[in-house]
Amino acid sequence: AQKVTQAQTEISVVEKEDVTLDCVYETRDTTYYLFWYKQPPSGELVFLIRRNSFDEQNEISGRYSWNFQKSTSSFNFTITASQVVDSAVYFCALSEGNAGNMLTFGGGTRLMVKP
Amino acid sequence: DTGVSQDPRHKITKRGQNVTFRCDPISEHNRLYWYRQTLGQGPEFLTYFQNEAQLEKSRLLSDRFSAERPKGSFSTLEIQRTEQGDSAMYLCASSLVDGSYNEQFFGPGTRLTVL
Protein backbone atom coordinates (compact mmCIF):
# COMPACT_ATOMS: atom_id res chain seq x y z
CA ALA A 1 0.00 0.00 0.00
CA GLN A 2 1.17 3.50 -0.71
CA LYS A 3 1.74 6.02 2.05
CA VAL A 4 3.09 9.54 2.35
CA THR A 5 4.36 11.02 5.61
CA GLN A 6 4.98 14.69 6.28
CA ALA A 7 6.34 14.69 9.79
CA GLN A 8 6.35 18.48 10.16
CA THR A 9 2.80 19.59 10.84
CA GLU A 10 3.67 23.26 11.22
CA ILE A 11 6.74 25.40 10.54
CA SER A 12 7.19 29.06 11.33
CA VAL A 13 10.00 31.14 9.84
CA VAL A 14 10.85 34.78 9.44
CA GLU A 15 10.82 36.27 5.98
CA LYS A 16 14.01 35.67 3.95
CA GLU A 17 14.88 32.51 5.85
CA ASP A 18 15.30 29.27 3.92
CA VAL A 19 12.96 26.44 4.85
CA THR A 20 12.82 22.74 3.94
CA LEU A 21 9.64 20.69 4.01
CA ASP A 22 10.17 16.97 4.43
CA CYS A 23 8.31 14.19 2.64
CA VAL A 24 8.84 10.44 3.04
CA TYR A 25 6.91 7.95 0.97
CA GLU A 26 6.24 4.22 0.85
CA THR A 27 5.37 2.20 -2.23
CA ARG A 28 5.97 -1.27 -3.61
CA ASP A 29 5.82 -0.12 -7.22
CA THR A 30 8.95 0.58 -9.18
CA THR A 31 7.08 3.10 -11.31
CA TYR A 32 5.55 5.97 -9.41
CA TYR A 33 5.20 9.73 -9.41
CA LEU A 34 5.72 12.27 -6.67
CA PHE A 35 4.10 15.67 -6.41
CA TRP A 36 4.00 18.79 -4.34
CA TYR A 37 0.88 20.92 -4.09
CA LYS A 38 0.35 24.25 -2.34
CA GLN A 39 -2.94 25.10 -0.61
CA PRO A 40 -3.12 28.80 0.23
CA PRO A 41 -5.73 30.20 2.62
CA SER A 42 -8.18 30.46 -0.29
CA GLY A 43 -8.27 26.66 -0.27
CA GLU A 44 -7.56 25.75 -3.89
CA LEU A 45 -4.76 23.22 -4.40
CA VAL A 46 -2.06 24.52 -6.71
CA PHE A 47 0.24 22.11 -8.51
CA LEU A 48 3.95 22.82 -8.00
CA ILE A 49 5.97 19.90 -9.35
CA ARG A 50 5.85 16.31 -10.57
CA ARG A 51 8.76 13.83 -10.60
CA ASN A 52 8.79 10.25 -11.81
CA SER A 53 10.61 7.43 -10.08
CA PHE A 54 13.19 7.10 -12.83
CA ASP A 55 14.38 10.67 -12.64
CA GLU A 56 16.30 11.49 -9.49
CA GLN A 57 17.69 14.70 -10.84
CA ASN A 58 17.04 17.56 -8.47
CA GLU A 59 15.09 20.50 -9.79
CA ILE A 60 15.17 24.21 -9.18
CA SER A 61 12.49 26.68 -10.15
CA GLY A 62 13.16 30.18 -8.95
CA ARG A 63 13.18 30.13 -5.16
CA TYR A 64 11.87 26.56 -5.08
CA SER A 65 13.99 23.44 -5.23
CA TRP A 66 13.26 19.75 -4.80
CA ASN A 67 15.54 16.96 -3.63
CA PHE A 68 14.46 13.43 -4.63
CA GLN A 69 16.38 10.54 -3.05
CA LYS A 70 15.15 7.03 -3.75
CA SER A 71 17.65 5.56 -1.28
CA THR A 72 15.81 7.24 1.58
CA SER A 73 12.37 7.38 -0.09
CA SER A 74 12.29 11.12 0.34
CA PHE A 75 11.18 14.04 -1.79
CA ASN A 76 11.98 17.21 0.11
CA PHE A 77 11.02 20.74 -0.88
CA THR A 78 13.11 23.81 -0.09
CA ILE A 79 12.01 27.42 -0.34
CA THR A 80 14.91 29.85 -0.46
CA ALA A 81 14.51 33.37 0.89
CA SER A 82 10.94 32.76 2.02
CA GLN A 83 8.29 35.42 1.56
CA VAL A 84 5.02 36.10 3.36
CA VAL A 85 3.14 34.96 0.25
CA ASP A 86 4.65 31.51 0.70
CA SER A 87 2.45 31.03 3.78
CA ALA A 88 0.23 28.06 3.00
CA VAL A 89 -0.25 24.36 3.61
CA TYR A 90 2.01 22.24 1.42
CA PHE A 91 1.13 18.69 0.49
CA CYS A 92 3.34 15.97 -0.84
CA ALA A 93 1.55 13.27 -2.86
CA LEU A 94 2.31 9.93 -4.50
CA SER A 95 0.76 8.13 -7.45
CA GLU A 96 1.66 4.58 -8.29
CA GLY A 97 2.16 3.78 -11.95
CA ASN A 98 -0.85 1.54 -12.41
CA ALA A 99 -3.22 3.15 -9.96
CA GLY A 100 -5.12 5.32 -12.40
CA ASN A 101 -3.33 8.40 -11.28
CA MET A 102 -5.00 8.27 -7.87
CA LEU A 103 -3.08 10.58 -5.57
CA THR A 104 -2.21 9.62 -2.01
CA PHE A 105 -1.51 12.75 -0.02
CA GLY A 106 0.50 13.31 3.10
CA GLY A 107 -1.03 15.15 6.02
CA GLY A 108 0.44 18.47 4.93
CA THR A 109 2.83 20.98 6.46
CA ARG A 110 1.53 24.40 7.40
CA LEU A 111 4.17 27.02 6.66
CA MET A 112 3.88 30.41 8.28
CA VAL A 113 6.25 33.10 7.07
CA LYS A 114 6.33 36.12 9.33
CA PRO A 115 7.43 39.56 8.15
CA ASP B 1 -11.59 28.17 -19.90
CA THR B 2 -10.32 29.19 -16.52
CA GLY B 3 -10.04 25.85 -14.75
CA VAL B 4 -12.05 23.32 -12.80
CA SER B 5 -15.25 24.72 -11.32
CA GLN B 6 -17.42 23.33 -8.55
CA ASP B 7 -20.90 24.18 -7.45
CA PRO B 8 -21.99 25.02 -4.83
CA ARG B 9 -18.99 26.35 -2.96
CA HIS B 10 -20.71 25.90 0.38
CA LYS B 11 -23.57 23.66 1.46
CA ILE B 12 -25.20 23.46 4.86
CA THR B 13 -27.66 20.66 5.38
CA LYS B 14 -29.40 18.80 8.15
CA ARG B 15 -28.52 15.27 9.08
CA GLY B 16 -30.44 12.77 6.99
CA GLN B 17 -30.83 14.99 3.93
CA ASN B 18 -29.40 14.15 0.50
CA VAL B 19 -26.91 16.49 -1.16
CA THR B 20 -25.49 16.67 -4.67
CA PHE B 21 -22.37 18.50 -5.81
CA ARG B 22 -21.35 19.34 -9.35
CA CYS B 23 -17.93 19.52 -10.95
CA ASP B 24 -17.07 20.94 -14.36
CA PRO B 25 -13.58 19.90 -15.46
CA ILE B 26 -11.21 21.68 -17.80
CA SER B 27 -12.87 21.17 -21.17
CA GLU B 28 -10.37 18.91 -22.92
CA HIS B 29 -9.62 16.79 -19.86
CA ASN B 30 -10.80 13.18 -20.08
CA ARG B 31 -10.18 12.16 -16.46
CA LEU B 32 -12.12 13.48 -13.50
CA TYR B 33 -11.43 12.72 -9.83
CA TRP B 34 -13.22 13.26 -6.54
CA TYR B 35 -11.41 13.69 -3.22
CA ARG B 36 -12.53 14.51 0.31
CA GLN B 37 -10.53 16.68 2.66
CA THR B 38 -11.31 16.91 6.36
CA LEU B 39 -9.95 19.65 8.57
CA GLY B 40 -6.21 19.43 9.07
CA GLN B 41 -5.78 16.44 6.76
CA GLY B 42 -4.63 15.85 3.23
CA PRO B 43 -7.16 15.07 0.50
CA GLU B 44 -8.42 11.49 0.39
CA PHE B 45 -9.21 9.86 -2.96
CA LEU B 46 -12.82 8.76 -3.51
CA THR B 47 -13.35 7.85 -7.16
CA TYR B 48 -12.41 8.72 -10.71
CA PHE B 49 -13.75 8.63 -14.28
CA GLN B 50 -12.17 8.16 -17.66
CA ASN B 51 -14.64 9.93 -19.93
CA GLU B 52 -18.02 8.56 -18.74
CA ALA B 53 -16.67 5.31 -17.29
CA GLN B 54 -16.17 5.10 -13.55
CA LEU B 55 -12.95 3.13 -13.25
CA GLU B 56 -12.51 3.05 -9.50
CA LYS B 57 -15.19 3.32 -6.88
CA SER B 58 -14.06 0.96 -4.15
CA ARG B 59 -12.75 3.94 -2.18
CA LEU B 60 -16.11 5.63 -1.88
CA LEU B 61 -16.66 5.91 1.84
CA SER B 62 -19.94 4.04 2.00
CA ASP B 63 -22.88 3.03 -0.17
CA ARG B 64 -24.40 6.41 0.66
CA PHE B 65 -21.86 7.96 -1.71
CA SER B 66 -22.28 7.77 -5.47
CA ALA B 67 -20.90 9.63 -8.46
CA GLU B 68 -21.80 9.98 -12.10
CA ARG B 69 -20.35 11.49 -15.23
CA PRO B 70 -23.11 10.76 -17.72
CA LYS B 71 -21.78 12.43 -20.85
CA GLY B 72 -18.11 12.42 -20.06
CA SER B 73 -18.12 16.11 -19.24
CA PHE B 74 -19.39 17.35 -15.86
CA SER B 75 -19.73 15.05 -12.89
CA THR B 76 -21.96 14.89 -9.82
CA LEU B 77 -21.24 13.47 -6.39
CA GLU B 78 -24.26 12.57 -4.28
CA ILE B 79 -24.35 11.78 -0.58
CA GLN B 80 -27.57 10.24 0.67
CA ARG B 81 -28.77 10.40 4.26
CA THR B 82 -25.98 12.71 5.31
CA GLU B 83 -24.28 12.27 8.68
CA GLN B 84 -22.31 14.77 10.72
CA GLY B 85 -19.14 12.85 9.86
CA ASP B 86 -19.66 13.75 6.21
CA SER B 87 -18.79 17.36 6.97
CA ALA B 88 -15.69 18.08 4.89
CA MET B 89 -14.39 19.79 1.78
CA TYR B 90 -15.15 17.83 -1.39
CA LEU B 91 -12.59 18.44 -4.11
CA CYS B 92 -12.79 17.71 -7.79
CA ALA B 93 -9.79 17.48 -10.09
CA SER B 94 -9.28 16.80 -13.78
CA SER B 95 -6.42 15.77 -16.00
CA LEU B 96 -5.69 14.94 -19.62
CA VAL B 97 -4.46 11.40 -20.10
CA ASP B 98 -2.88 11.07 -23.52
CA GLY B 99 -0.32 8.32 -23.11
CA SER B 100 1.84 10.34 -20.78
CA TYR B 101 1.34 11.22 -17.18
CA ASN B 102 -0.21 14.60 -16.59
CA GLU B 103 -0.90 16.39 -13.39
CA GLN B 104 -4.31 16.89 -11.86
CA PHE B 105 -5.76 20.36 -11.62
CA PHE B 106 -8.05 20.95 -8.68
CA GLY B 107 -11.19 22.99 -8.32
CA PRO B 108 -11.98 25.28 -5.38
CA GLY B 109 -13.98 22.60 -3.58
CA THR B 110 -17.44 22.37 -2.03
CA ARG B 111 -17.49 22.74 1.73
CA LEU B 112 -20.23 20.62 3.28
CA THR B 113 -21.51 21.21 6.79
CA VAL B 114 -23.96 18.69 8.21
CA LEU B 115 -25.86 19.94 11.25
Side-chain angles (χ1 to χ4, degrees), chain B residues 11-35:
Chain B
K11 177 71 177 179
I12 300 174
T13 191
K14 293 182 178 179
R15 186 163 50 96
Q17 298 294 306
N18 299 342
V19 294
T20 300
F21 310 140
R22 177 180 171 125
C23 171
D24 286 271
I26 294 172
S27 58
E28 65 270 23
H29 284 185
N30 50 9
R31 280 209 180 164
L32 187 149
Y33 310 79
W34 285 99
Y35 292 82

Side-chain angles (χ1 to χ4, degrees), chain B residues 39-58:
Chain B
L39 199 62
Q41 303 296 317
E44 174 187 15
F45 172 81
L46 296 178
T47 187
Y48 84 101
F49 295 85
Q50 170 91 11
N51 299 313
E52 67 274 11
Q54 190 173 12
L55 299 185
E56 172 61 64
K57 54 183 179 181
S58 66

Side-chain angles (χ1 to χ4, degrees), chain A:
Chain A
Q2 51 188 0
K3 183 179 179 182
V4 176
T5 301
Q6 295 179 254
Q8 305 149 308
T9 55
E10 198 167 292
I11 299 176
S12 181
V13 298
V14 177
E15 204 169 20
K16 298 184 183 177
E17 287 184 6
D18 299 347
V19 58
T20 295
L21 310 182
D22 297 333
C23 172
V24 174
Y25 63 91
E26 296 176 29
T27 178
R28 295 177 182 173
D29 271 19
T30 55
T31 301
Y32 53 90
Y33 301 84
L34 296 163
F35 304 80
W36 278 93
Y37 280 85
K38 174 182 180 180
Q39 189 171 45
S42 61
E44 193 157 340
L45 282 162
V46 177
F47 168 79
L48 296 178
I49 190 173
R50 175 186 78 241
R51 303 298 287 177
N52 72 55
S53 53
F54 301 108
D55 183 3
E56 284 192 76
Q57 189 173 11
N58 293 329
E59 184 160 337
I60 298 175
S61 176
R63 296 184 297 108
Y64 295 170
S65 62
W66 290 270
N67 181 272
F68 176 26
Q69 292 194 339
K70 288 178 75 171
S71 61
T72 56
S73 298
S74 65
F75 186 44
N76 297 337
F77 173 30
T78 297
I79 302 174
T80 302
S82 59
Q83 300 176 1
V84 173
V85 293
D86 295 328
S87 297
V89 181
Y90 291 86
F91 291 98
C92 181
L94 166 71
S95 176
E96 292 177 336
N98 297 318
N101 305 147
M102 176 192 88
L103 292 174
T104 296
F105 285 84
T109 296
R110 179 177 298 278
L111 174 65
M112 293 179 291
V113 182
K114 299 178 181 177

